[in-house]
Amino acid sequence: MMMQQRVKRVGAAQEGESYFPLAGGHRLIFIIVIMPDSWMHLCSLVLLLSCTHINAKTVGQTSSPAEPVGQLPADVRSVVLKGRSYTDHVEVSSPINLTLQCTWTGSGSKVDNVTGYWSKDGEDIDNSHTTLRPENQQFNLQRMFTIKDEESLGKYSCMFGNEAKIDFVLAVPQISDVRDKPIISYVGDSVVMVCKMDDAKPSPKTWLWFKVNHTEKEEIDATAEPQRYEIKMDGKVTKLLVHNLTHLDSGLFHCGAVYAISTAMSHVELKVITIYEPLKPFVAIVVEVLVLVAVILMFERSLAKKRKAAASGNHVGDTEHATNAPAATTTTTTPQAEANGLEETTSTRQRKM
């Protein structure tokens, strides 16, 4: 009978049935079987049929909202423009509610109003157009932006019609130590590549290193190849050590400073050469000198042959001239003697006459 009274007090179950509400809208259902009064004792059999998940929500009820994200820190960036354009670079390392304030002093001519609006990366922001009237001979425009991820970064512009604009370029802190010339090392040696941030910039959460493979960047896992790579990090400085260099290690390496909102990237170029590589210019110079000396020697030898041949020709000519000289004298003197004889004969004849 006590059990029957308990059932009446619950009042939500049918006769002979009882339930107990549980957390989360669950119900534990019992069926109570009451035996006839003829039995000497009251026996009941409690059968646990099921523990069912009964949704206590009404139809059409919406789910509870997610827990609100912690309030982001706020900051204000303000620029006063006296000309037609200005660009302000803003470094953002973590999510933030950033209020951008623009003040334009006007173009010099009196303007009653101007249309002000905002744009991001060259595209107008919806519902940002408004009519501005001068206040103390200045036009003011401001808007708060929630910068929460990498997509939120970019160029935000406040526009004063077609008269003037102010650009806010939002980006993560950039790595200042950028090496223009490649690092040169030798096959089989080890090399150290360094990336660091300026002291005035915030420290990144961590550092990453990548190797460019064709057109893709592959992250370097030093723990997977400890015999080849070693990564050291010390706040704003990171070092990559590469051991047992080969020609395949030549190329671009990228270091990444990881911040809460994005990653700043820089690069280092590595060139791996053999020990004979520096000797190539010297060998080339030696070869050029040897070729030049060989050409000079060949020219001198050829010139010597020509001189020897010329000297031999002159000696033969002098010998022939010496041999033929008396015959020529005899031949030339005979006519002269004859002429003298004729002259003498003619003069003798003239005397006799």
Side-chain angles (χ1 to χ4, degrees):
M1 297 301 293
M2 291 179 63
M3 185 64 69
Q4 290 179 348
Q5 294 177 0
R6 175 67 178 273
V7 172
K8 289 180 181 179
R9 285 198 300 268
V10 173
Q14 298 179 357
E15 184 178 357
E17 179 179 311
S18 178
Y19 79 92
F20 297 95
L22 301 177
H26 306 325
R27 293 179 181 179
L28 184 64
I29 300 176
F30 296 91
I31 294 179
I32 304 172
V33 180
I34 303 176
M35 305 304 292
D37 294 336
S38 59
W39 288 71
M40 296 295 295
H41 298 284
L42 181 63
C43 298
S44 63
L45 177 63
V46 180
L47 302 176
L48 180 61
L49 297 180
S50 63
C51 182
T52 58
H53 295 273
I54 302 176
N55 195 345
K57 298 179 182 179
T58 59
V59 178
Q61 183 177 357
T62 58
S63 59
S64 59
E67 294 182 3
V69 181
Q71 186 178 2
L72 297 177
D75 195 6
V76 178
R77 194 78 172 195
S78 180
V79 172
V80 178
L81 176 64
K82 297 182 179 180
R84 296 184 59 87
S85 64
Y86 180 78
T87 300
D88 186 20
H89 294 273
V90 184
E91 291 187 343
V92 181
S93 60
S94 59
I96 190 174
N97 287 327
L98 182 62
T99 300
L100 302 179
Q101 295 179 346
C102 301
T103 300
W104 180 46
T105 58
S107 58
S109 59
K110 186 176 181 180
V111 180
D112 294 334
N113 58 70
V114 67
T115 301
Y117 62 94
W118 290 88
S119 67
K120 181 181 183 298
D121 297 329
E123 297 183 1
D124 294 357
I125 297 177
D126 295 337
N127 302 322
S128 66
H129 289 69
T130 183
T131 300
L132 302 176
R133 298 186 181 279
E135 299 178 4
N136 297 326
Q137 298 180 351
Q138 295 179 344
F139 295 93
N140 300 306
L141 182 64
Q142 74 173 22
R143 189 182 180 96
M144 188 190 74
F145 298 94
T146 299
I147 312 301
K148 58 182 180 180
D149 51 26
E150 188 173 4
E151 295 182 355
S152 303
L153 301 174
K155 184 175 70 173
Y156 292 81
S157 303
C158 59
M159 312 292 295
F160 296 94
N162 296 324
E163 299 294 330
K165 72 171 182 176
I166 300 175
D167 295 328
F168 297 88
V169 180
L170 276 57
V172 291
Q174 298 301 303
I175 300 174
S176 57
D177 185 19
V178 179
R179 187 184 180 94
D180 297 330
K181 297 181 180 180
I183 298 175
I184 300 177
S185 189
Y186 299 100
V187 174
D189 286 353
S190 299
V191 68
V192 179
M193 290 172 278
V194 181
C195 282
K196 64 180 180 180
M197 303 290 296
D198 280 344
D199 294 336
K201 297 182 179 181
S203 299
K205 297 174 61 178
T206 186
W207 289 88
L208 298 175
W209 282 91
F210 302 87
K211 174 71 169 67
V212 176
N213 186 7
H214 299 293
T215 58
E216 298 181 355
K217 289 186 295 186
E218 297 179 356
E219 184 177 353
I220 297 175
D221 187 0
T223 58
E225 297 181 89
Q227 73 281 1
R228 288 273 294 135
Y229 300 106
E230 185 179 354
I231 297 177
K232 296 183 179 181
M233 293 177 285
D234 184 14
K236 300 179 182 180
V237 181
T238 180
K239 297 179 180 180
L240 174 65
L241 285 76
V242 185
H243 305 286
N244 301 321
L245 290 172
T246 65
H247 287 292
L248 297 177
D249 293 319
S250 296
L252 285 177
F253 289 80
H254 289 264
C255 59
V258 181
Y259 289 93
I261 197 168
S262 184
T263 302
M265 302 295 294
S266 183
H267 69 275
V268 179
E269 184 179 359
L270 175 64
K271 186 177 181 181
V272 181
I273 61 177
T274 62
I275 195 171
Y276 304 104
E277 200 81 15
L279 300 178
K280 287 183 178 180
F282 176 74
V283 172
I285 293 174
V286 171
V287 170
E288 290 180 358
V289 171
L290 292 177
V291 171
L292 181 60
V293 170
V295 171
I296 294 174
L297 291 177
M298 292 176 64
F299 177 77
E300 290 290 340
R301 186 175 180 181
S302 175
L303 188 60
K305 288 182 178 181
K306 291 181 179 180
R307 290 175 178 173
K308 185 176 181 180
S312 299
N314 292 336
H315 179 69
V316 172
D318 293 340
T319 304
E320 292 178 353
H321 180 71
T323 305
N324 298 329
T329 305
T330 305
T331 305
T332 53
T333 56
T334 303
Q336 186 176 2
E338 292 178 353
N340 293 333
L342 290 175
E343 290 178 358
E344 291 177 357
T345 305
T346 305
S347 59
T348 303
R349 289 178 182 178
Q350 288 178 353
R351 289 176 184 173
K352 289 180 177 181
M353 292 177 63

